[in-house]
Amino acid sequence: MKDRWPLFWLALHRRRRMLGALLLGMVAFEALIVVVAGALAPGDLFSSGGKGPPSAYQAFSGSSGNVSIASYPGLLGAGLTHPFWIAMQLTAIGSLAAAAVAADVESGTVELVMVRPVSRSRLLAERTAALLAVVLALNAAATVTVAAGVALSPGIHRAVPLSGVFAAGFMGIGFALCMIGPAMAVSAAGRRRSQVIGATIAIAAVGFAVNFIALAWTPAAPLRFLSPFHYYTPGDALAEGGVLWPQFGILAGVGLLGLLLAHVLLRRRDLAP
């Protein structure tokens, strides 16, 4: 099988230690979130003087406004939108997307890769598949960890159905797709791996900031539609117990458009260093 998809397996092999560390980190972090949720009542954790948390905290609970972070769905949703969770996702996406095209162009090895011969479409397809396999593994690790914690905590389970946990994990895949598409497009057009990593981080950081500002400041509310974090709402999925298909469709659609753009850019560009 490795002979049929050599670029796919090579991409995973080169980053096997990093991917192993990310998987362990994801499991440990989500386990910690579940332990905290089970040990402390969310309402007590975020209450101050009898008041609930500010509306801007919805950005941290992964909600569009229906779920407070001072609840079990909101607290578990915070574990799926926490900067640490985002950083692990972006580390995998930025690293593998940069290696898809831009890193080989930067190092001058792309001509050796293509001499087999390997078509540009196959190069992009196999390395995109490797990236998708990685983000699926990361989100599966987070989802299974949270699901196990919820199943073992009757108090949390009464407020959060297991179907909601798996729906939130599925929404995480949609968010990853939304990041992968633009990252692969930058890699297909770029000549430096730093360009891809920088663009990936910038999209996520600016998107999170825009969503936070839109929730905190009413005049900026329309800007929330420009942020992927307006559509990636694991807190809502946890509370409702199902996948939010319109939001998932937008996230996946952005990712697919990015991959299509990457294909067009790679076919038209000069691969010489």
Side-chain angles (χ1 to χ4, degrees):
M1 183 169 295
K2 293 185 178 181
D3 292 335
R4 294 183 59 186
W5 302 302
L7 298 177
F8 172 86
W9 294 108
L10 182 61
L12 296 178
H13 178 76
R14 285 178 172 175
R15 288 157 186 83
R16 62 191 183 280
R17 293 184 179 87
M18 179 195 75
L19 300 179
L22 289 175
L23 285 170
L24 290 175
M26 185 69 80
V27 170
F29 176 72
E30 294 302 336
L32 177 62
I33 292 294
V34 174
V35 169
V36 171
L40 299 172
D44 296 337
L45 184 62
F46 290 97
S47 62
S48 177
K51 297 181 179 180
S55 60
Y57 276 34
Q58 294 163 2
F60 297 101
S61 65
S63 173
S64 59
N66 298 324
V67 176
S68 171
I69 194 172
S71 65
Y72 284 123
L75 190 54
L76 294 178
L80 298 173
T81 52
H82 192 280
F84 189 74
W85 182 93
I86 297 171
M88 286 190 286
Q89 296 279 348
L90 296 184
T91 298
I93 293 171
S95 176
L96 272 81
V101 180
D104 280 331
V105 174
E106 180 180 13
S107 62
T109 58
V110 68
E111 294 177 345
L112 296 176
V113 174
M114 303 297 291
V115 77
R116 293 194 55 159
V118 175
S119 69
R120 299 187 183 203
S121 296
R122 180 179 173 183
L123 172 72
L124 188 65
E126 289 198 34
R127 288 182 167 171
T128 300
L131 180 47
L132 289 173
V134 169
V135 298
L136 283 172
L138 284 176
N139 282 280
T143 302
V144 171
T145 302
V146 175
V150 169
L152 295 172
S153 303
I156 301 178
H157 198 184
R158 283 192 291 270
V160 179
L162 287 177
S163 60
V165 176
F166 290 105
F170 193 71
M171 295 296 293
I173 296 173
F175 171 78
L177 284 172
C178 187
M179 294 292 103
I180 288 172
M184 292 297 291
V186 175
S187 183
R191 294 185 176 276
R192 300 287 185 271
R193 69 184 71 194
S194 59
Q195 295 173 332
V196 183
I197 296 172
T200 304
I201 294 173
I203 292 170
V206 172
F208 191 89
V210 167
N211 189 50
F212 182 85
I213 293 171
L215 289 171
W217 188 36
T218 303
L223 294 177
R224 68 188 187 278
F225 297 106
L226 301 177
S227 170
F229 291 94
H230 174 66
Y231 306 100
Y232 172 55
T233 53
D236 291 342
L238 286 162
E240 296 181 18
V243 178
L244 309 175
W245 290 108
Q247 291 92 321
F248 179 85
I250 292 172
L251 292 169
V254 171
L256 292 176
L257 286 175
L259 292 175
L260 178 61
L261 178 60
H263 179 77
V264 173
L265 291 172
L266 185 59
R267 286 177 60 89
R268 296 182 178 181
R269 72 165 295 178
D270 180 9
L271 290 175

